[in-house]
Amino acid sequence: MELQEVKRSADDHNYFIKDESVMTSALEVLTELSSKKYLILLAKGDLIPNAVAVANIVTENMLKGNSSIKDIKLDSIISDEDGQMISNIQIILVKN
């Protein structure tokens, strides 16, 4: 499994899912979402199931009734280096 870098800026609403425990990511997302109206979860390749799990944990368990999934976008790109296809997901979480 490939490790991904954290690519967040302080004023950005993007959260890149890392190769770590799903619950750790969910707690980080909950912390970020507490100070923002929405947050965009981004993941690539093998980390897509983790992003889906984090979104479900946050919306169905931690903030049940106070948050929702606004949109989910899936995409794939073909790498120029080796021609492999890499899938991406973008999940928008919104506080109600």
Side-chain angles (χ1 to χ4, degrees):
M1 196 174 279
E2 181 179 312
L3 292 177
Q4 290 187 345
E5 293 180 25
V6 177
K7 303 174 188 174
R8 290 187 298 180
S9 63
D11 60 347
D12 206 3
H13 288 275
N14 293 339
Y15 179 84
F16 286 83
I17 298 295
K18 301 177 289 291
D19 188 16
E20 63 185 8
S21 165
V22 173
M23 192 54 79
T24 302
S25 293
L27 290 172
E28 288 179 7
V29 167
L30 182 64
T31 304
E32 291 283 326
L33 202 54
S34 67
S35 63
K36 300 175 182 174
K37 293 292 274 178
Y38 71 95
L39 194 63
I40 302 170
L41 303 181
L42 300 166
K44 290 183 179 183
D46 293 337
L47 297 178
I48 289 175
N50 291 9
V52 173
V54 167
N56 284 332
I57 288 169
V58 170
T59 58
E60 298 297 323
N61 295 331
M62 295 178 168
L63 292 176
K64 188 171 187 170
N66 295 325
S67 66
S68 62
I69 296 174
K70 181 180 179 181
D71 194 19
I72 299 174
K73 296 179 183 176
L74 295 169
D75 190 20
S76 296
I77 58 171
I78 297 176
S79 173
D80 292 334
E81 297 172 4
D82 55 6
Q84 288 187 340
M85 187 174 288
I86 301 171
S87 296
N88 303 303
I89 193 167
Q90 177 179 346
I91 303 172
I92 302 175
L93 301 178
V94 179
K95 285 196 305 189
N96 297 339

